[in-house]
């Protein structure tokens, strides 16, 4: 196998094909889960589905219903479910050796080199990679520690609407107050600045950027700015959970300049937006701005293995041996899978594909927006797309998005939600989604929008 089959050979051929859902086996699994699993389980509350099988951009549930997957395990399965090129290496490695802490393996060194090959200009050839634990939150913790260790500071600037994870440091820089409210105090010196969101802030793109940067500058430079010992700025180049908020031009460069002027690190969280999702390797590549450190996870594990990494400029490589630790410093099978996934994206030119298909999806959504005033904004890059819905008064409407998600599910398409009020329909399909599958899926999504917005109008 060179780099596996072409993308049109990866999927279940019958997708979408759903009967009345959820079917009996699914219902029984959901009931059992409710009985024995944690109350913290969340996703089945949105879509009552139990997965059995996946292929490419399609999945099958326990009753044999087949769906087109437009959420990819929240941006994990960039090269699709059970990609054969990735799985070949997974099986080979799993039979040989799985866990090596941080002893060298070919798999480890190969992935570090691969990550350097696709690193943003400015990090490429000058970077180190630390694998400090399996989740995205672990990578965030590493980037916070790295910032503190290298600057001697302890304060962090993050952004409203941000999501960075569920561990203490990652929650500290996350914006969602309800999510972290029971666990305060968290890290003490964290300040959240506004993220430029022209649509919600009712500003021009330039004014939204100027406003956000002026706030960050004041926090760093105003003698009464409030943050005594800043160490770093941490930002999603496109906010994911916050609603696929895509900052206008100039924001990331402005942060780069402020970080340089004030000797603090600039950390880009590319956990959801990276590894080809936006039609570039990293969302920040669109702005041509390099961070001092960058976090990656989700799609890094190739086909769903838990693996995260923090890539950082070699000037920050000041830790001594063992200064950042963890038992799982890189899952060897996940590393093989990650390298294979990157190769698959390269060999099948999936960055260009993501850009083209993303434009097609945005066009279809814009056509749908012509017929309703409830679809207020469509934004994003590549296959990282958000559609923001509002009620008759222009306020965020999460109910209509829930209705769209449910209608899509019942018609064989899985989409997810995002946004501070759950009012953004979020598309993050596997990059291997074909044009044909996208067309079929968008027919369903457009019907769902029509159905849900009409229903909302009637009940208003
Ligand atoms: C941008 C971003 N950062 C960090 C995280 C946390 O990653 P994990 O859930 O693997 O800890 C997420 C998860 O959704 C994310 O979207």
């Amino acid at each position: 196998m060179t780099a596996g089959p072409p993308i049109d050979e990866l999927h279940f051929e019958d997708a979408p094909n759903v009967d009345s859902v959820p079917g009996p086996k699914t219902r029984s699994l959901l009931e059992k889960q409710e009985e024995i699993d944690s109350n913290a389980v969340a996703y089945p509350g949105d879509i009552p589905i139990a997965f059995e099988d996946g292929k490419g951009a399609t999945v099958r549930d326990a009753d044999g219903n087949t769906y087109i997957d437009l959420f990819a395990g929240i941006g994990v399965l960039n090269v699709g479910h059970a990609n054969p090129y990735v799985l070949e290496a997974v099986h080979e490695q799993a039979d040989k050796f799985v866990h090596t802490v941080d002893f060298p393996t070919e798999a480890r060194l190969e992935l570090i080199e691969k990550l350097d090959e696709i690193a943003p200009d400015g990090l490429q050839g000058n970077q180190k990679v630390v694998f400090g634990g399996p989740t995205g939150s672990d990578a965030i913790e590493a980037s916070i520690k790295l910032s503190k260790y290298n600057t001697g500071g302890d304060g962090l600037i993050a952004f409203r609407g941000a999501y960075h994870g569920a561990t203490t440091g990652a929650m500290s820089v996350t914006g969602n107050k309800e999510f972290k409210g029971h666990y305060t105090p968290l890290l003490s010196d964290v300040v959240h600045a506004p993220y430029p969101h022209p649509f919600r802030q009712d500003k021009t793109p330039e004014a939204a950027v100027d406003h956000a940067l002026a706030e960050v500058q004041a926090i760093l430079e105003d003698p009464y700015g409030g943050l005594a010992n800043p160490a770093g700025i941490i930002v999603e180049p496109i906010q994911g959970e916050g609603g696929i908020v895509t900052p206008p031009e100039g924001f990331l460069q402005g942060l780069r300049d402020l970080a340089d002027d004030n000797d603090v690190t600039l950390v880009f969280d590319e956990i959801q937006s990276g590894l080809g999702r936006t039609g570039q390797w990293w969302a920040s590549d669109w702005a041509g701005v390099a961070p001092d450190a960058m976090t990656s996870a989700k799609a890094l594990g190739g086909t769903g293995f838990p693996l995260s990494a923090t890539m950082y400029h070699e000037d920050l490589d000041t830790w001594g041996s063992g200064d950042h630790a963890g038992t799982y410093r890189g899952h060897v099978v996940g590393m093989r899978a990650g390298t294979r996934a990157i190769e698959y994206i390269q060999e099948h030119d999936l960055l260009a594909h993501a850009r083209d298909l993303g434009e097609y999806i945005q066009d279809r959504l814009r056509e749908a927006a012509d017929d309703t005033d409830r679809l207020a904004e469509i934004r994003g890059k590549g296959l990282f797309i958000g559609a923001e819905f509002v009620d008759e008064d222009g306020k965020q409407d999460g109910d209509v998005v829930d209705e769209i998600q449910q209608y899509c599910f019942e018609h064989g398409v899985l989409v997810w939600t995002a946004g501070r009020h759950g009012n953004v329909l979020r598309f993050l399909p596997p990059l291997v989604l074909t044009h044909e599958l996208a067309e079929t899926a968008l027919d369903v999504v457009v019907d769902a929008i029509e159905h849900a917005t009409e229903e909302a109008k009637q009940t208003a």
Side-chain angles (χ1 to χ4, degrees), residues 74 135-137 140 163-166 236 241 269 271-272 297-298:
I74 308 294
T135 71
S137 303
I140 296 292
Y163 183 78
H164 296 291
E236 290 163 90
E241 301 300 310
D269 178 352
I271 287 167
Q272 193 166 150
K298 289 189 185 277

Side-chain angles (χ1 to χ4, degrees), residues 89-308:
V90 163
H91 292 305
E92 225 172 70
Q93 186 65 46
D95 286 343
K96 282 207 297 201
F97 221 102
V98 172
H99 175 71
T100 67
V101 202
D102 58 12
F103 287 104
T105 55
E106 259 180 37
R108 182 183 194 89
L109 304 180
E110 198 179 71
L111 179 59
I112 292 173
E113 285 180 342
K114 206 65 183 162
L115 285 173
D116 193 53
E117 192 182 314
I118 63 168
D121 288 344
L123 279 186
Q124 197 173 57
N126 306 310
Q127 65 156 3
K128 292 293 180 86
V129 183
V130 69
F131 300 98
T135 71
S137 303
D138 291 308
I140 296 292
E141 298 294 338
S143 73
I144 292 172
K145 287 169 70 178
L146 200 70
S147 299
K148 289 183 170 187
Y149 194 86
N150 277 283
T151 61
D154 52 22
L156 296 164
I157 298 175
F159 292 87
R160 292 186 202 131
Y163 183 78
H164 296 291
T167 51
T168 294
M171 266 198 292
S172 306
V173 285
T174 288
N176 186 334
K177 291 197 273 189
E178 197 184 327
F179 184 66
K180 60 193 201 177
H182 292 287
Y183 311 105
T184 51
L186 298 168
L187 296 185
S188 50
D189 268 336
V190 177
V191 182
H192 287 83
Y195 194 87
H197 190 351
F199 171 69
R200 269 286 143 222
Q201 292 161 342
D202 205 12
K203 291 186 190 311
T204 64
E206 296 76 21
V209 169
D210 288 350
H211 172 62
L213 292 176
E215 288 289 321
V216 175
Q217 183 166 21
I219 294 164
L220 288 167
E221 296 177 7
D222 181 335
Y224 279 66
L227 190 63
N229 297 305
I233 302 171
I234 178 159
V235 64
E236 290 163 90
I238 293 179
Q239 282 189 340
E241 301 300 310
I244 320 296
V245 184
T246 312
E249 214 183 303
F251 176 57
L252 296 182
Q253 185 59 53
L255 292 182
R256 177 69 276 166
D257 296 342
L258 285 168
D260 289 342
D261 292 349
N262 291 279
D263 296 326
V264 297
T265 58
L266 178 62
V267 179
F268 287 165
D269 178 352
E270 293 267 12
I271 287 167
Q272 193 166 150
S273 57
L275 288 163
R277 165 75 29 220
T278 67
Q280 302 277 2
W281 282 114
W282 311 102
S284 50
D285 288 343
W286 284 102
V289 178
D292 299 303
M294 188 163 85
T295 56
S296 177
K298 289 189 185 277
L300 184 63
T303 187
F305 285 100
L307 179 68
S308 81

Side-chain angles (χ1 to χ4, degrees), residues 43-119:
Y43 284 89
D46 289 328
I47 298 184
I49 190 168
F51 293 112
E52 172 87 18
D53 212 348
K55 255 167 141 316
T58 57
V59 289
R60 224 166 240 164
D61 73 13
D63 295 283
N65 298 295
T66 315
Y67 307 79
I68 301 175
D69 176 8
L70 300 185
F71 84 99
I74 308 294
V76 168
L77 295 145
N78 282 11
V79 295
H81 299 265
N83 184 301
Y85 182 66
V86 177
L87 285 187
E88 181 191 54
V90 163
H91 292 305
E92 225 172 70
Q93 186 65 46
D95 286 343
K96 282 207 297 201
F97 221 102
V98 172
H99 175 71
T100 67
V101 202
D102 58 12
F103 287 104
T105 55
E106 259 180 37
R108 182 183 194 89
L109 304 180
E110 198 179 71
L111 179 59
I112 292 173
E113 285 180 342
K114 206 65 183 162
L115 285 173
D116 193 53
E117 192 182 314
I118 63 168

Side-chain angles (χ1 to χ4, degrees), residues 4 10 38 54 62 107 157 173 227 239 321 351 365 428 457:
L10 297 180
S38 164
I157 298 175
V173 285
L227 190 63
Q239 282 189 340
S321 170
L351 299 185
L365 292 169
L428 56 173
K457 237 184 217 168

